[in-house]
Each structure stands twice: as C-alpha cells, then as structure tokens.
Amino acid sequence: MSTSPPSADTSVRALFESMAYGPAPEADGPARTWLASHGHRFTHFINGAFDHAQPDAWFDVHDPSTGSVIAQVAQGSAADVDRAVQAAREALPAWRALSGHARA
C-alpha cells in the first residue's frame, strides 16, 4: 500500500493504492464458523438486530458449490416486511449522509 500523500490522480490504480481494504479470505472457513456460531438458523435481521420471534415456516439455504444445506432462514410475513421497511425508512437519512467509502 502506498504511504505517499494522496494525489490528484484519480486512476483506478491510484485509487486502489490509496484506499484501505479489509481482508478478503478466499476460503469459506470464516463464513462457516460464523454460521455455526449462530446455529445455522436465522430469523430476520431488522433494525440492526436479529428478531427472536419464532416464525411459522423456515426455508433451506444451499451451498451453491455442493448443494448441501448450510442454514435455515425464517420465512417472512407481510408484517415482517412492514417492520423492515419502516426500519429502513428511519435509517435512510443517516445512511444517505455517509460517503460512498463509509457505506462500503
């Protein structure tokens, strides 16, 4: 990574060299560890938190490379969608105020 001060160069190469990026693991180990730490079963993530209500139905999520089931996710209802949309509307002003880099 470049340690020189930012320049007016806006080429892709210059931008890549001046931006800090997090790790991008190539293996699926970190993702599988995270799935296991959550019991491979997920309710809805609304307003920054998992909803602990127990839904009536679940659906399987498959690993596209193997076809095996890697998790189950709660089937949403119209009320779940309404809560998620309301939370998104309330969060939009703060999110909109962030720079593109901060959003990423």
Side-chain angles (χ1 to χ4, degrees):
M1 180 165 275
S2 175
T3 58
S4 59
S7 68
D9 185 355
T10 58
S11 68
V12 171
R13 181 182 180 119
L15 292 172
F16 277 139
E17 289 177 356
S18 65
M19 295 175 74
Y21 290 92
E26 299 301 323
D28 65 353
R32 290 193 181 274
T33 298
W34 184 85
L35 289 168
S37 74
H38 288 83
H40 297 271
R41 202 163 203 204
F42 299 90
T43 55
H44 306 292
F45 194 76
I46 298 173
N47 201 22
F50 284 104
D51 178 355
H52 295 291
Q54 291 301 310
D56 294 331
W58 297 86
F59 63 91
D60 292 339
V61 177
H62 298 268
D63 178 337
S65 67
T66 65
S68 64
V69 175
I70 59 173
Q72 288 187 314
V73 178
Q75 179 66 45
S77 66
D80 295 324
V81 172
D82 289 343
R83 287 185 307 114
V85 169
Q86 182 60 38
R89 285 183 176 146
E90 291 171 6
L92 180 60
W95 182 83
R96 184 183 285 162
L98 294 173
S99 69
H101 189 76
R103 289 181 199 170

